[in-house]
Amino acid sequence: METTEAEVVMLLANPQAYASSPESVALIETHCARVFLAGNEALKVKKRVRLPFLDFTTLEARRAACSREMELNRRYAPGIYLGLTPITREKNGELAIAGDGEVVDWAVRMRRFDQDHLLAHVARQGPLAPALSRSIAAMVVRYHRACPIIAVSDAGGMRAVVRGLVDELDTAKELVSADVAAAFRERAEAALDRIAALLGQRAASGAVRRCHGDLHLGNIVLDHGQPVAFDALEFNEALATIDVLYDLAFLLMDLEQHGDRPAANVVLNDYCLAAPVGHEIEGLGCLSLFLACRVAVRTVVAIERARQMAGSSANREAPSVARLMESANRYLDPPKPALTAVGGLSGTGKSTLAASLAPYLGAAPGAIHLRSDVERKRLFGVAETSRLGAAQYGGEVTEQVYRLLYDKAERVLASGHSVIVDAVFAAREERMAIAAVAERAGCAFLGLWLEAPAADLIARVEARRGDASDADAAVVRSQLGSDLGEMTWQRIDAAGTPAAVLAQALSHVET
């Protein structure tokens, strides 16, 4: 006899069906799966659905998908994924979990975790702490470094993604207006044409890998305080064989959708600084399209969810779909790139201001932040918090560090992304050189000069712990005697709180 989906659901929803005899069973449902939370474990079964990107209508297809899910996720989340469990029909005709009878369905068995530890839940409670954002970035860097490189030669994969999204939006006229869908198609195809060569170059350099494929906040959990990615996309290899920045874009978009652009900016900056596969700065030219497509993916999922609902429940998805499509089209119309430089003596709070200002600058999720102290440490191959000796702060080394900053800033601008550079910039020639980078790129330039009383500067550098800057009181006293020359940058009173300094800086930023 054929086993229906309803029978499997009834079995897995029954606490008495489990060997552990949990008090109750909770259900989490997505557009293509059901997860039953029972005691300390969770059983995940595939819905018997056929969608444009998957087909779970046969037992063999569901078995293969469960097996692939285990294979993909055990590498990165071994403490969560425990094994495959058959659903069987016993000789007495009853269904059982891991019985001796005929296998009628398959489930992925997982260790249950507190749903409050999902980053989607954490993000809803308020902005993520910078330290957590940096941990998330480090996790994605490790993940992408370990992803197998897939040899492709052109931008065909991304063209297929855009084509598939456009086709799906065109079939959802009850939720997506023809004008909105047409605007997405026109802008996305124009963006594809602009970056086709770049996509090909990235593919040739190893940026296309077998990635997670579904890397949003709902698929990252804090396990013993550390972010762990799980539930990698298992049902369609083409959808997960993608540019690593397209994989990252889902996470960045999700943080933005949660109203936390500062966290998204931290993740992007740390990811680019770590450079897990190379050419991340040049790849920024793809980011607007990648973000827009990730929003469109979420829109398609919302549309499918609405189709599985009935009546008024389905109608409730309409406002969400409209907001998502508005966001997708906005990503495809990014602002022009600009260069902002933040200068000042040691202790004025340049890096603090630059980091807090970056999310407000340019295309989503904000400017790339370049810091002279960090570039100096990278030049000598040491950790950010390792102290360098006096020889590493000589004139020739400092000139080299500034040249690195100019070159990197120029590359960011060439990608179409905004950049903010923080360094002392005490010499007039240094300030002129960074302004010239913007001029050569044909971009707007803003120079901010931070000032604070000498006693404040000394107190701040002496209070630093775990920072990339090696400046101490002696360095500050030496800088105080510097001849700054003509100062044409906007002067900022840096004696106040970080929030007050940021407010002053924002008053000079064009929006």
Side-chain angles (χ1 to χ4, degrees):
M1 64 185 287
E2 184 176 349
T3 302
T4 67
E5 189 169 14
E7 287 180 284
V8 173
V9 171
M10 187 177 298
L11 169 75
L12 296 179
N14 180 6
Q16 295 178 359
Y18 295 82
S20 59
S21 301
E23 292 184 4
S24 62
V25 178
L27 171 63
I28 297 174
E29 194 164 351
T30 71
H31 64 294
C32 61
R34 294 183 178 91
V35 183
F36 296 85
L37 307 178
N40 293 324
E41 67 178 343
L43 290 183
K44 179 181 178 182
V45 293
K46 311 299 181 184
K47 287 184 176 179
R48 301 180 187 184
V49 295
R50 179 187 287 116
L51 303 173
F53 45 85
L54 63 82
D55 185 350
F56 290 158
T57 55
T58 68
L59 174 61
E60 174 55 25
R62 296 193 295 278
R63 184 207 63 76
C66 288
S67 179
R68 182 63 169 151
E69 183 170 345
M70 281 297 305
E71 178 187 6
L72 289 169
N73 289 285
R74 238 180 180 169
R75 279 182 284 173
Y76 306 105
I80 295 176
Y81 285 80
L82 305 178
L84 296 188
T85 296
I87 308 300
T88 57
R89 186 173 292 280
E90 302 305 287
K91 290 180 179 179
N92 62 4
E94 299 292 323
L95 293 187
I97 299 172
D100 298 322
E102 177 190 3
V103 176
V104 296
D105 217 330
W106 289 93
V108 175
R109 188 164 66 91
M110 307 165 68
R111 174 176 61 81
R112 182 178 180 177
F113 50 75
D114 190 335
Q115 294 296 296
D116 287 352
H117 293 169
L118 284 174
L119 282 188
H121 174 83
V122 177
R124 284 194 290 270
Q125 310 312 304
L128 300 186
L132 175 55
S133 300
R134 299 198 74 176
S135 293
I136 295 167
M139 180 272 293
V140 180
V141 165
R142 292 191 300 271
Y143 198 109
H144 283 168
R145 281 179 176 155
C147 287
I149 297 173
I150 307 297
V152 295
S153 59
D154 55 31
M158 207 62 211
R159 286 198 181 278
V161 167
V162 171
R163 191 182 310 117
L165 291 170
V166 167
D167 289 347
E168 282 297 300
L169 295 173
D170 283 343
T171 66
K173 292 181 171 54
E174 74 279 12
L175 289 171
V176 181
S177 74
D179 289 345
V180 170
F184 176 81
R185 180 193 305 109
E186 180 181 346
R187 293 178 182 182
E189 290 178 350
L192 258 176
D193 290 340
R194 285 195 303 272
I195 66 171
L198 175 59
L199 288 171
Q201 291 165 9
R202 289 183 57 74
S205 68
V208 173
R209 305 189 173 205
R210 205 310 175 178
C211 295
H212 184 284
D214 203 18
L215 193 62
H216 56 74
L217 294 172
N219 285 340
I220 303 174
V221 64
L222 292 177
D223 193 11
H224 297 91
Q226 295 301 310
V228 174
F230 68 100
D231 202 16
L233 191 153
E234 85 288 352
F235 52 78
N236 188 309
E237 290 301 302
L239 291 180
T241 302
I242 51 179
D243 190 303
V244 291
L245 287 180
Y246 184 48
D247 205 38
L248 177 69
F250 213 159
L251 173 58
L252 300 180
M253 177 277 294
D254 206 5
L255 286 167
E256 290 231 314
Q257 291 294 318
H258 279 78
D260 200 351
R261 178 170 284 195
N265 185 260
V266 170
V267 171
L268 176 63
N269 268 286
D270 271 29
Y271 185 91
C272 288
L273 184 65
V277 307
H279 307 288
E280 283 75 12
I281 287 179
E282 288 72 18
L284 293 169
C286 306
L287 194 55
S288 292
L289 176 64
F290 287 171
L291 289 167
C293 287
R294 283 309 189 182
V295 179
V297 168
R298 178 154 289 175
T299 306
V300 168
V301 170
I303 291 168
E304 180 57 34
R305 187 165 57 241
R307 287 170 174 164
Q308 293 181 14
M309 295 176 179
S312 59
S313 295
N315 294 334
R316 284 201 297 269
E317 292 294 323
S320 173
V321 167
R323 285 193 300 272
L324 288 168
M325 286 309 302
E326 179 184 357
S327 178
N329 284 331
R330 189 166 56 248
Y331 281 133
L332 290 169
D333 187 24
K336 293 180 179 179
L339 191 158
T340 301
V342 181
L345 305 186
S346 297
T348 48
K350 300 181 294 298
S351 296
T352 299
L353 173 61
S356 59
L357 186 58
Y360 295 92
L361 304 176
I368 294 297
H369 175 198
L370 304 180
R371 185 180 178 191
S372 62
D373 291 318
V374 171
E375 293 302 323
R376 192 183 299 265
K377 298 299 174 68
R378 287 171 62 83
L379 179 63
F380 290 98
V382 300
E384 288 186 16
T385 54
S386 297
R387 291 191 65 85
L388 296 174
Q392 283 79 48
Y393 281 88
E396 289 186 4
V397 172
T398 296
E399 288 179 10
Q400 188 176 359
V401 169
Y402 275 85
R403 285 196 300 271
L404 287 170
L405 289 172
Y406 305 148
D407 174 70
K408 216 168 185 178
E410 201 150 5
R411 289 163 54 205
V412 174
L413 295 174
S415 78
H417 211 82
S418 291
V419 62
I420 184 166
V421 183
D422 91 67
V424 175
F425 289 118
R428 180 173 176 271
E429 292 77 13
E430 294 164 351
R431 298 194 294 274
M432 291 176 64
I434 192 66
V437 170
E439 184 176 3
R440 287 194 297 274
C443 298
F445 174 76
L446 173 64
L448 302 174
W449 181 257
L450 276 57
E451 298 175 317
D456 288 359
L457 304 185
I458 292 172
R460 288 174 180 176
V461 298
E462 289 184 335
R464 280 177 179 159
R465 299 292 184 275
D467 188 79
S469 174
D470 293 333
D472 55 17
V475 169
V476 172
R477 293 189 183 96
S478 174
Q479 291 175 349
L480 287 168
S482 302
D483 179 10
L484 300 178
E486 181 186 11
M487 180 56 66
T488 59
W489 290 10
Q490 298 288 344
R491 294 178 181 268
I492 302 290
D493 180 2
T497 64
V501 176
L502 175 61
Q504 291 180 69
L506 285 171
S507 70
H508 298 290
V509 173
E510 292 184 14
T511 57

